[in-house]
Amino acid sequence: MSEKTLFSKIVDREIPADIVYEDDLCLAFRDISPQSPVHILVIPKKPIPSIAAIADEDANLLGHLWLIIRNIAAAEELDNGYRVTVNCGHEGGQTVDHLHFHLMGGRQLKWPPG
Ligand code: AMP
C-alpha cells in the first residue's frame, strides 16, 4: 500500500489543521501558507493523486466538491468574487499528490498567474 498523503494525515487528525468544513466525502482547511486573505484547500477524503488520476466513478464526488466550494465561498463572504485553482503535476505547480482545490479570495487577484 502506498504511503499516506500529507492531506490524508490531516483527514485522520495526525497533523493539525484549521478545519473549516467536513463531511463524509471531503475536508476543507486553511492553507498553511495563505496567498490571499482567504485561502482554503478543499480535498476529497479519497486520496486521488491529481486531476489526471480522476476516475469516471469519481464524477459524483467531484460534483459534490464544487457544491461545497460554493458553500464555503458564501460562508466566507467572498461576495466580490474568488478563484478556484487546481494545480496538476510538476509543471502545473502541484506539490502535494492528493487532489485539492485552492479557494482564494479577499483581495483583487491578478491574471494570468505566474
Ligand atoms: P499545490 O502546490 O497546489 O500542491 O498546493 C499545496 C498547498 O498545500 C500549498 O498551498 C501549501 O501551502 C499547502 N500546505 C502544505 N502543507 C500544509 C499543511 N500542513 N496544512 C495546510 N496547508 C498545507
Side-chain angles (χ1 to χ4, degrees):
M1 196 174 133
S2 58
E3 197 178 324
K4 201 185 266 193
T5 70
L6 172 66
F7 290 167
S8 287
K9 290 178 182 174
I10 290 177
V11 170
D12 292 342
R13 306 306 201 266
E14 294 170 12
I15 292 176
D18 185 357
I19 293 169
V20 299
Y21 177 82
E22 180 172 26
D23 64 26
D24 288 349
L25 297 175
C26 71
L27 188 74
F29 50 93
R30 297 192 191 278
D31 196 293
I32 202 168
S33 179
Q35 301 301 309
S36 49
V38 174
H39 187 171
I40 291 168
L41 301 176
V42 183
I43 70 165
K45 289 186 172 177
K46 179 180 178 181
I48 300 167
S50 75
I51 292 180
I54 291 170
D56 291 356
E57 68 190 28
D58 296 324
N60 286 344
L61 171 60
L62 269 293
H64 177 73
L65 287 169
W66 278 111
L67 295 175
I68 296 305
I69 290 166
R70 175 202 64 188
N71 292 350
I72 294 172
E76 294 287 325
E77 300 181 335
L78 297 176
D79 304 326
N80 292 326
Y82 52 88
R83 183 174 294 163
V84 180
T85 301
V86 183
N87 297 325
C88 181
H90 179 66
E91 290 196 0
Q94 184 176 7
T95 59
V96 178
D97 292 333
H98 185 139
L99 180 64
H100 50 283
F101 294 72
H102 296 257
L103 168 60
M104 302 173 68
R107 67 170 171 84
Q108 179 63 56
L109 298 167
K110 299 188 178 75
W111 191 264

mmCIF file of all heavy atoms in Angstrom, residues 96-112:
data_model
loop_
_atom_site.group_PDB
_atom_site.id
_atom_site.type_symbol
_atom_site.label_atom_id
_atom_site.label_comp_id
_atom_site.label_asym_id
_atom_site.label_seq_id
_atom_site.Cartn_x
_atom_site.Cartn_y
_atom_site.Cartn_z
ATOM 1 N N VAL A 96 1.601 18.664 -3.558
ATOM 2 C CA VAL A 96 1.041 17.608 -2.698
ATOM 3 C C VAL A 96 0.194 16.700 -3.583
ATOM 4 O O VAL A 96 -0.767 17.154 -4.222
ATOM 5 C CB VAL A 96 0.183 18.207 -1.569
ATOM 6 C CG1 VAL A 96 -0.423 17.085 -0.728
ATOM 7 C CG2 VAL A 96 1.017 19.137 -0.681
ATOM 8 N N ASP A 97 0.558 15.433 -3.621
ATOM 9 C CA ASP A 97 -0.092 14.491 -4.535
ATOM 10 C C ASP A 97 -1.375 13.920 -3.939
ATOM 11 O O ASP A 97 -1.543 12.695 -3.774
ATOM 12 C CB ASP A 97 0.889 13.383 -4.925
ATOM 13 C CG ASP A 97 2.026 13.912 -5.793
ATOM 14 O OD1 ASP A 97 1.821 14.927 -6.489
ATOM 15 O OD2 ASP A 97 3.119 13.309 -5.768
ATOM 16 N N HIS A 98 -2.252 14.829 -3.605
ATOM 17 C CA HIS A 98 -3.608 14.480 -3.144
ATOM 18 C C HIS A 98 -4.489 15.606 -3.677
ATOM 19 O O HIS A 98 -4.313 16.770 -3.289
ATOM 20 C CB HIS A 98 -3.630 14.411 -1.606
ATOM 21 C CG HIS A 98 -4.942 13.954 -1.020
ATOM 22 N ND1 HIS A 98 -5.005 13.082 0.056
ATOM 23 C CD2 HIS A 98 -6.223 14.259 -1.326
ATOM 24 C CE1 HIS A 98 -6.276 12.874 0.361
ATOM 25 N NE2 HIS A 98 -7.033 13.578 -0.460
ATOM 26 N N LEU A 99 -5.398 15.259 -4.576
ATOM 27 C CA LEU A 99 -6.210 16.273 -5.256
ATOM 28 C C LEU A 99 -6.735 17.319 -4.266
ATOM 29 O O LEU A 99 -7.266 16.976 -3.208
ATOM 30 C CB LEU A 99 -7.389 15.587 -5.947
ATOM 31 C CG LEU A 99 -8.356 16.494 -6.724
ATOM 32 C CD1 LEU A 99 -7.659 17.149 -7.898
ATOM 33 C CD2 LEU A 99 -9.568 15.679 -7.188
ATOM 34 N N HIS A 100 -6.559 18.595 -4.635
ATOM 35 C CA HIS A 100 -7.049 19.665 -3.770
ATOM 36 C C HIS A 100 -7.396 20.884 -4.604
ATOM 37 O O HIS A 100 -6.736 21.203 -5.587
ATOM 38 C CB HIS A 100 -6.025 20.037 -2.691
ATOM 39 C CG HIS A 100 -4.646 20.290 -3.215
ATOM 40 N ND1 HIS A 100 -3.797 19.265 -3.580
ATOM 41 C CD2 HIS A 100 -3.967 21.446 -3.438
ATOM 42 C CE1 HIS A 100 -2.657 19.782 -3.998
ATOM 43 N NE2 HIS A 100 -2.732 21.104 -3.939
ATOM 44 N N PHE A 101 -8.429 21.567 -4.166
ATOM 45 C CA PHE A 101 -8.898 22.794 -4.795
ATOM 46 C C PHE A 101 -8.489 23.953 -3.907
ATOM 47 O O PHE A 101 -8.832 23.973 -2.724
ATOM 48 C CB PHE A 101 -10.423 22.782 -4.928
ATOM 49 C CG PHE A 101 -10.961 21.740 -5.875
ATOM 50 C CD1 PHE A 101 -10.934 20.394 -5.542
ATOM 51 C CD2 PHE A 101 -11.509 22.106 -7.091
ATOM 52 C CE1 PHE A 101 -11.440 19.433 -6.410
ATOM 53 C CE2 PHE A 101 -12.016 21.149 -7.970
ATOM 54 C CZ PHE A 101 -11.967 19.818 -7.627
ATOM 55 N N HIS A 102 -7.763 24.910 -4.467
ATOM 56 C CA HIS A 102 -7.442 26.133 -3.742
ATOM 57 C C HIS A 102 -8.615 27.097 -3.917
ATOM 58 O O HIS A 102 -8.926 27.498 -5.044
ATOM 59 C CB HIS A 102 -6.204 26.823 -4.331
ATOM 60 C CG HIS A 102 -4.929 26.047 -4.221
ATOM 61 N ND1 HIS A 102 -3.962 26.334 -3.278
ATOM 62 C CD2 HIS A 102 -4.445 25.013 -4.946
ATOM 63 C CE1 HIS A 102 -2.932 25.512 -3.431
ATOM 64 N NE2 HIS A 102 -3.195 24.695 -4.442
ATOM 65 N N LEU A 103 -9.248 27.489 -2.825
ATOM 66 C CA LEU A 103 -10.278 28.528 -2.855
ATOM 67 C C LEU A 103 -9.637 29.794 -2.300
ATOM 68 O O LEU A 103 -9.242 29.836 -1.128
ATOM 69 C CB LEU A 103 -11.478 28.115 -2.001
ATOM 70 C CG LEU A 103 -12.518 29.207 -1.707
ATOM 71 C CD1 LEU A 103 -13.129 29.752 -2.994
ATOM 72 C CD2 LEU A 103 -13.607 28.666 -0.780
ATOM 73 N N MET A 104 -9.488 30.785 -3.173
ATOM 74 C CA MET A 104 -8.764 32.002 -2.797
ATOM 75 C C MET A 104 -9.629 33.228 -3.049
ATOM 76 O O MET A 104 -10.293 33.336 -4.080
ATOM 77 C CB MET A 104 -7.469 32.119 -3.608
ATOM 78 C CG MET A 104 -6.549 30.922 -3.424
ATOM 79 S SD MET A 104 -5.144 30.968 -4.534
ATOM 80 C CE MET A 104 -4.281 32.358 -3.863
ATOM 81 N N GLY A 105 -9.574 34.153 -2.091
ATOM 82 C CA GLY A 105 -10.331 35.387 -2.252
ATOM 83 C C GLY A 105 -9.990 36.371 -1.158
ATOM 84 O O GLY A 105 -9.112 36.150 -0.329
ATOM 85 N N GLY A 106 -10.705 37.491 -1.190
ATOM 86 C CA GLY A 106 -10.488 38.521 -0.182
ATOM 87 C C GLY A 106 -9.564 39.624 -0.639
ATOM 88 O O GLY A 106 -9.277 40.553 0.121
ATOM 89 N N ARG A 107 -9.083 39.539 -1.870
ATOM 90 C CA ARG A 107 -8.296 40.616 -2.480
ATOM 91 C C ARG A 107 -8.486 40.528 -3.989
ATOM 92 O O ARG A 107 -8.974 39.505 -4.508
ATOM 93 C CB ARG A 107 -6.809 40.512 -2.124
ATOM 94 C CG ARG A 107 -6.081 39.305 -2.700
ATOM 95 C CD ARG A 107 -4.581 39.431 -2.494
ATOM 96 N NE ARG A 107 -3.838 38.221 -2.839
ATOM 97 C CZ ARG A 107 -3.429 37.880 -4.057
ATOM 98 N NH1 ARG A 107 -3.738 38.637 -5.097
ATOM 99 N NH2 ARG A 107 -2.744 36.766 -4.263
ATOM 100 N N GLN A 108 -8.049 41.579 -4.686
ATOM 101 C CA GLN A 108 -8.100 41.531 -6.153
ATOM 102 C C GLN A 108 -7.025 40.559 -6.639
ATOM 103 O O GLN A 108 -5.834 40.764 -6.378
ATOM 104 C CB GLN A 108 -7.849 42.924 -6.753
ATOM 105 C CG GLN A 108 -7.875 42.942 -8.264
ATOM 106 C CD GLN A 108 -9.237 42.544 -8.838
ATOM 107 O OE1 GLN A 108 -10.238 43.149 -8.509
ATOM 108 N NE2 GLN A 108 -9.257 41.526 -9.693
ATOM 109 N N LEU A 109 -7.428 39.524 -7.326
ATOM 110 C CA LEU A 109 -6.483 38.534 -7.839
ATOM 111 C C LEU A 109 -6.064 38.914 -9.257
ATOM 112 O O LEU A 109 -6.881 39.384 -10.051
ATOM 113 C CB LEU A 109 -7.129 37.149 -7.820
ATOM 114 C CG LEU A 109 -7.519 36.661 -6.413
ATOM 115 C CD1 LEU A 109 -8.429 35.446 -6.502
ATOM 116 C CD2 LEU A 109 -6.275 36.318 -5.605
ATOM 117 N N LYS A 110 -4.800 38.689 -9.559
ATOM 118 C CA LYS A 110 -4.272 39.043 -10.884
ATOM 119 C C LYS A 110 -4.412 37.867 -11.854
ATOM 120 O O LYS A 110 -4.488 36.714 -11.454
ATOM 121 C CB LYS A 110 -2.798 39.445 -10.764
ATOM 122 C CG LYS A 110 -2.543 40.654 -9.882
ATOM 123 C CD LYS A 110 -1.076 41.076 -9.987
ATOM 124 C CE LYS A 110 -0.798 42.308 -9.150
ATOM 125 N NZ LYS A 110 -0.736 42.004 -7.706
ATOM 126 N N TRP A 111 -4.381 38.214 -13.121
ATOM 127 C CA TRP A 111 -4.392 37.188 -14.173
ATOM 128 C C TRP A 111 -3.457 37.619 -15.285
ATOM 129 O O TRP A 111 -3.453 38.804 -15.617
ATOM 130 C CB TRP A 111 -5.819 36.989 -14.711
ATOM 131 C CG TRP A 111 -5.899 35.782 -15.585
ATOM 132 C CD1 TRP A 111 -5.822 35.732 -16.934
ATOM 133 C CD2 TRP A 111 -6.033 34.434 -15.129
ATOM 134 N NE1 TRP A 111 -5.908 34.443 -17.371
ATOM 135 C CE2 TRP A 111 -6.031 33.609 -16.280
ATOM 136 C CE3 TRP A 111 -6.129 33.823 -13.869
ATOM 137 C CZ2 TRP A 111 -6.141 32.227 -16.207
ATOM 138 C CZ3 TRP A 111 -6.242 32.452 -13.800
ATOM 139 C CH2 TRP A 111 -6.248 31.683 -14.966
ATOM 140 N N PRO A 112 -2.651 36.754 -15.876
ATOM 141 C CA PRO A 112 -2.543 35.330 -15.529
ATOM 142 C C PRO A 112 -1.651 35.109 -14.319
ATOM 143 O O PRO A 112 -0.820 35.949 -14.007
ATOM 144 C CB PRO A 112 -1.873 34.736 -16.798
ATOM 145 C CG PRO A 112 -1.024 35.851 -17.320
ATOM 146 C CD PRO A 112 -1.794 37.105 -17.030
#
